Amino acid sequence: MFIVPGPASIELGERVASLLGLKPKPVDHRIFPDGESYIRLTSNVRDETVVIVQTTAPDQDRRLIQLIMMTSTAKELGAERVICVVPYLAYSRQDKRFLEGEAFSLDVIVGMLEDAGADDLLVVDAHNEDSLREIQSMHGIKIHNLSAVPILAQGVKDMGYGGAFSLSPDKGGIHLAKAADKILGGGYSFFEKRRDRKTGEIEMLVKDLEIKGKKAVVFDDIISSGGTMARALRGLKDQGTELVAAACTHALFMEGAEKRIEKAGADLIVISDTVTTSVEGICFTVAPLIAEKIREIVA
Ligand code: R5P
């Protein structure tokens, strides 16, 4: 088996390879002056199981193209099985056609990977696992969804948040709060979040949670602008929560997100390394989670 760390996930790919006791097989990669990517696999992949590790955080389109090129090249050059490890799968939030005529982007991306020759797709905290399952049933590719939430929850617990209340910023993420509660044990709930599909504006209703003087942690799959997390944290602070932590798997943290979250009162920010970020949060690696799953699926 070969582990190929893609240009977007060199460190994570190397960690996974090392946990599996393998030497990573690097990709020769550069960007042409016009922005196009050059990709060359440096090992003979014939008859091998090739595991490509490439996240697709911004710049999503470039990283997706690189992933497609690596996958398709490995298959064309005779790889027996190609496993795409895409810790953060871009375009996952458009997991159905909400308005007539919209691109069903998650389906488009999975279809592209399958057409390129991917046999398996391994993701971490898929935005909507049910949609992925549905998409899997329409394609031939096998999809594996892992969760970083137990790692994040254990991390905040070790930092003094044992017994904290777990929350998700919307009903769709309640499974995250529930999973975290198994470790933190202080109960769990969700906020009511509504998004205007045309303007993208969100409205968040903060329920009365009776958590005055307690600790709480908000778990989300993604922090992008930080708007959702900031509103959740502010709602908790307004209710007199003693300490609030923000935990997320995919720390995209676009311009201003970190400040927004700190200003909302975050006492702690914990993230995972599914994407590379400059955020000053406590970062936990998903490498062991990925390595264990790879071991299981190639066994
Ligand atoms: C949305 O459904 C996701 O789970 C996140 O809550 C959302 O993507 C976060 O985005 P932002 O940080 O821009 O509010």
Side-chain angles (χ1 to χ4, degrees), residues 93 127 169-170 193 195 220-229:
R93 281 171 285 185
H127 181 64
D170 56 29
K193 182 170 118 178
R195 188 181 291 274
D220 207 351
D221 55 340
I222 305 168
I223 291 181
S224 178
S225 70
T228 304
M229 184 58 81

Side-chain angles (χ1 to χ4, degrees), residues 21-294:
L22 298 169
K23 207 166 169 283
K25 304 288 184 185
V27 169
D28 188 2
H29 151 255
R30 59 183 180 272
I31 306 286
F32 291 111
D34 60 1
E36 290 182 359
S37 293
Y38 168 88
I39 289 286
R40 181 177 154 259
L41 304 182
T42 58
S43 308
N44 181 359
V45 294
R46 182 154 299 281
D47 300 330
E48 288 287 345
T49 290
V50 177
V51 180
I52 298 168
V53 185
Q54 167 91 342
T55 203
T56 54
D59 182 349
Q60 297 90 331
D61 297 357
R62 171 177 289 170
R63 288 172 165 185
L64 277 167
I65 285 291
Q66 293 168 343
L67 174 63
I68 298 288
M69 290 202 284
M70 290 184 285
T71 304
S72 153
T73 307
K75 250 309 157 67
E76 265 177 56
L77 295 181
E80 192 200 324
R81 181 176 185 181
V82 178
I83 301 173
C84 290
V85 176
V86 190
Y88 170 67
L89 183 64
Y91 292 102
S92 289
R93 281 171 285 185
Q94 188 74 25
D95 55 18
K96 61 179 168 188
R97 192 164 285 123
F98 295 97
L99 298 176
E100 207 180 305
E102 278 182 347
F104 178 4
S105 59
L106 178 59
D107 186 50
V108 173
I109 301 300
V110 172
M112 275 165 63
L113 283 171
E114 187 184 18
D115 291 346
D119 298 285
D120 299 74
L121 170 63
L122 199 158
V123 301
V124 181
D125 284 318
H127 181 64
N128 184 336
E129 187 165 24
D130 293 342
S131 304
L132 263 191
R133 295 275 149 255
E134 224 171 279
I135 287 171
Q136 175 171 253
S137 67
M138 304 188 291
H139 296 269
I141 193 168
K142 278 194 212 89
I143 304 178
H144 314 267
N145 181 30
L146 307 175
S147 181
V149 168
I151 297 173
L152 298 175
Q154 188 59 50
V156 287
K157 185 175 180 187
D158 294 344
M159 299 183 77
Y161 280 77
F165 196 82
S166 302
L167 285 134
S168 65
D170 56 29
K171 201 174 177 183
I174 187 66
H175 61 287
L176 305 178
K178 193 174 172 185
D181 183 50
K182 288 203 177 115
I183 291 165
L184 296 177
Y188 68 97
S189 187
F190 61 92
F191 291 102
E192 297 278 359
K193 182 170 118 178
R194 286 190 212 120
R195 188 181 291 274
D196 184 314
R197 288 281 155 206
K198 290 207 168 113
T199 63
E201 285 293 306
I202 57 166
E203 186 193 357
M204 207 145 152
L205 308 174
V206 182
K207 325 183 222 189
D208 192 358
L209 292 164
E210 294 178 10
I211 49 174
K212 196 168 178 187
K214 296 188 183 161
K215 294 173 190 164
V217 188
V218 182
F219 290 87
D220 207 351
D221 55 340
I222 305 168
I223 291 181
S224 178
S225 70
T228 304
M229 184 58 81
R231 284 193 203 200
L233 297 178
R234 216 174 297 121
L236 291 171
K237 282 280 173 179
D238 289 348
Q239 289 190 35
T241 311
E242 184 208 351
L243 285 173
V244 291
C248 87
T249 303
H250 311 299
L252 303 187
F253 279 78
M254 306 316 289
E255 184 73 31
E258 193 173 2
K259 275 216 174 74
R260 207 162 285 134
I261 289 171
E262 278 168 6
K263 216 169 134 201
D267 296 292
L268 175 69
I269 299 176
V270 295
I271 58 177
S272 87
D273 61 352
T274 58
V275 306
T276 309
T277 177
S278 57
V279 176
E280 289 195 15
I282 310 288
C283 186
F284 295 95
T285 184
V286 292
L289 194 69
I290 293 173
E292 196 186 314
K293 190 68 187 179
I294 292 173

